[in-house]
Amino acid sequence: MAKAPVREMDIRHWLPLLGIAVLVVATSAWMWLDYSARVRDSQEAALTGWHGSMLRVKRMFEAGREREQGRRDSEAHTLITLFNGTPGLLHLAVIDGAGKVRYANQAQLQGRPIAEVLPDFAPDQLDPKRLQRPVGSIALDADAHIRGYIPVSVGAPADAVHPTPDGVLYLDFDTRYANQSIWT
């Protein structure tokens, strides 16, 4: 029997393929690292922006406390719905101490209990001791949502200089929309 000759592969053919493979892997790794950094930066920018916006909304909302109830309701509704065009905004609402939605960016939520319409709301945020904190809390949760709880005075004014917080300005903002825009 005749043996078939053994063919050796010439390294000149493998070097270009190896170079292309290394380039593809390095480019993919760089793209993943860059994407992760951009997502993190986008989330941090959104968190900072919403913190400032919520404090401004609180100041504007409480500035209208001295007005008559009908005018105040109209102004509060307009103020809360100004953010409706913001991509990623799920809920922006003012919740009173009894756990009912007083004002919301979605009209169907108003007047309803938070347990029915806002499943991600943390009811412990309505604790009177927590409401006494000056700035509340706003944070990025593990599910890529920014949730904020800022104490706000909802009821009738008792003290015009230092209103007592008896409700919460609530925010639920989904940052995952930014991931899609970063890819594009």
Side-chain angles (χ1 to χ4, degrees), residues 70-99:
R71 183 173 175 202
R72 181 177 183 212
D73 288 344
S74 174
E75 289 175 354
H77 178 72
T78 302
L79 179 63
I80 297 295
T81 58
L82 282 175
F83 295 93
N84 278 350
T86 307
L89 178 64
L90 300 178
H91 302 293
L92 182 62
V94 175
I95 299 159
D96 63 16

Side-chain angles (χ1 to χ4, degrees), residues 43-57 83 89 91-92 125 130 133-142 145-151 168-175:
Q43 289 173 338
E44 289 173 10
L47 184 63
T48 302
W50 274 110
H51 186 258
S53 294
M54 292 206 33
L55 292 176
R56 280 191 292 281
V57 167
F83 295 93
L89 178 64
H91 302 293
L92 182 62
Q125 295 292 331
R130 281 194 173 210
R133 293 185 300 184
V135 292
S137 66
I138 185 167
L140 180 66
D141 289 345
H145 283 239
I146 294 174
R147 290 198 177 83
Y149 305 91
I150 305 292
V168 172
L169 177 62
Y170 171 66
L171 168 73
D172 186 357
F173 181 77
D174 187 0
T175 62

Side-chain angles (χ1 to χ4, degrees), residues 35-36 38 50 55 62 72-73 75-76 78 90 106 143 158 176 181:
Y35 172 75
S36 299
R38 287 178 186 227
W50 274 110
L55 292 176
E62 289 179 346
R72 181 177 183 212
D73 288 344
E75 289 175 354
T78 302
L90 300 178
Q106 300 170 15
D143 62 352
R176 287 179 288 185
S181 65

Side-chain angles (χ1 to χ4, degrees), residues 2 30 32 38 44-45 67 79 94 101 103 116 142-143 147 154 156:
W30 175 79
W32 181 80
R38 287 178 186 227
E44 289 173 10
R67 296 187 178 91
L79 179 63
V94 175
V101 178
Y103 308 103
E116 291 177 7
D143 62 352
R147 290 198 177 83
V154 178

Side-chain angles (χ1 to χ4, degrees), residues 14 19 21-22 25 27 29 41 46 55 63 74 86 104 108 115 127-128 145 176:
W14 285 100
V22 167
V25 169
T27 302
D41 291 346
L55 292 176
S74 174
T86 307
Q108 70 269 21
D127 179 30
H145 283 239
R176 287 179 288 185

